[in-house]
Amino acid sequence: MTRPYEGRGLHGQTVEAIAAMIFSGEVREGDTLDVVALQERLGVSSTALREAMKVLTAKGLIGARPKLGTYVRPHDDWHLLDGDVIRWKFAGRPDPAFLRDLHELRSIVEPPVARLAALRRTPEELAALERALERMADEPNSVQADLDFHRALLVAGRNELLVRMEVVMGAGLAGRDRLVHGPSHTGDPVPSHLAVLEAVRRGDAEAAERAMRDLLDQAWRDVEGLL
C-alpha cells in the first residue's frame, strides 16, 4: 500500500493538516481557503503549502477559481478510490453510508477473488495466507494481520487488475477494522478466515467463494453493532 502522507515529513504533515480541516467539516464544500492565513496557522513556507495544495488538488479535494482563489471542491469530485482519501474519511465520525458502500464493494470483489485463489494460488501464496492467519490467531484484533490476509488473497487470485484494488480495499479495510476491533470487540475472526483458507487450500472454488461471503456477512454484522 502507498505510504500515507502523514509519514512524509513536513510536506506530509501539511497535507494531513489541511485534509483534516476538510474531513472534519471545519471547512466545507465550496468554502474558500485563505492561503495566507493557512500558511501562518500551519507555520510552513509558501513552497511547502503550494506543494501540499498540489497533492490535494490531484485527489480532487480542492480547486482554484479565477479571482476567487482556492476552494474546497464538491464531495462528488473527491477521488474516493484514492487510499489517502479513504483513510481521511475514516478519521472522523463513522459514516454509515460509506461503510455500507465499502461493504458492498467488498461483496462484489472478494468472493470471486477467493474463487480465483482456490483455482490459481501457488504454494508460496498459500503460505502467505497461512502466515497471516497465524498472526491473526496470536493477535485476534490485529488490523495488520487482517490486512495481510486479504492482501494475500488478492495476490493469490492472480489477476493483475484485481490486485490493484488493494489500494482501495486495504485502506477501507484498515479504517473499518480500527472502528470495529476496539477494546470491546470480543468476536474471534479466525474461524471465518480459516474457512476461506481451507477451501483455498483444497482448491474448492465454490466453497472458497461461499466462505468469503459468510465472512463478509459477519463483518457487516460487526459494523451494524458498532453503528
Side-chain angles (χ1 to χ4, degrees):
M1 185 186 299
T2 302
R3 186 160 55 107
Y5 272 88
E6 60 190 348
R8 301 183 191 179
L10 181 60
H11 167 61
Q13 293 170 18
T14 306
V15 171
E16 294 287 328
I18 301 171
M21 293 169 60
I22 295 171
F23 283 87
S24 69
E26 179 181 346
V27 290
R28 301 180 181 277
E29 298 173 43
D31 284 355
T32 298
L33 295 174
D34 186 331
V35 176
V36 175
L38 197 56
Q39 183 181 343
E40 293 178 353
R41 171 177 171 174
L42 300 179
V44 297
S45 67
S46 59
T47 299
L49 184 60
R50 184 166 56 252
E51 291 302 312
M53 292 292 193
K54 288 180 181 179
V55 171
L56 296 169
T57 298
K59 295 177 183 294
L61 299 180
I62 63 174
R65 295 176 291 201
K67 300 182 180 180
L68 295 177
T70 303
Y71 73 105
V72 180
R73 296 178 66 176
H75 181 274
D76 288 348
D77 292 342
W78 298 358
H79 297 175
L80 293 180
L81 296 184
D82 181 285
D84 283 313
V85 175
I86 293 173
R87 178 170 56 82
W88 290 328
K89 282 189 70 69
F90 275 105
R93 183 175 58 186
D95 180 347
F98 189 69
L99 286 166
R100 181 205 63 214
D101 289 348
L102 173 64
H103 171 70
E104 290 175 353
L105 175 64
R106 294 184 67 195
S107 296
I108 292 168
V109 173
E110 291 197 88
V113 164
R115 169 181 283 274
L116 292 175
L119 297 173
R120 298 175 176 176
R121 57 83 180 165
T122 65
E124 294 78 14
E125 289 158 355
L126 181 61
L129 284 164
E130 291 170 342
R131 288 194 298 271
L133 190 64
E134 288 172 2
R135 289 196 296 274
M136 198 179 299
D138 292 338
E139 303 177 62
N141 287 335
S142 170
V143 172
Q144 190 58 53
D146 193 29
L147 286 174
D148 288 346
F149 183 91
H150 289 272
R151 182 181 296 117
L153 195 67
L154 283 170
V155 173
R158 305 187 69 77
N159 180 300
E160 186 176 2
L161 294 176
L162 287 172
V163 170
R164 295 297 186 270
M165 290 295 293
E166 190 274 333
V167 173
V168 178
M169 305 289 288
L173 183 58
R176 176 261 176 207
D177 280 359
R178 291 188 180 99
L179 286 174
V180 173
H181 293 176
S184 62
H185 183 253
T186 57
D188 183 357
V190 172
S192 58
H193 288 75
L194 178 59
V196 175
L197 173 60
E198 288 180 338
V200 170
R201 183 186 289 124
R202 296 194 307 271
D204 189 333
E206 289 188 8
E209 183 170 355
R210 184 168 58 250
M212 178 54 72
R213 292 196 184 282
D214 290 343
L215 186 159
L216 292 175
D217 286 344
Q218 179 58 56
W220 181 244
R221 288 193 291 272
D222 289 342
V223 170
E224 287 184 315
L226 171 71
L227 298 177

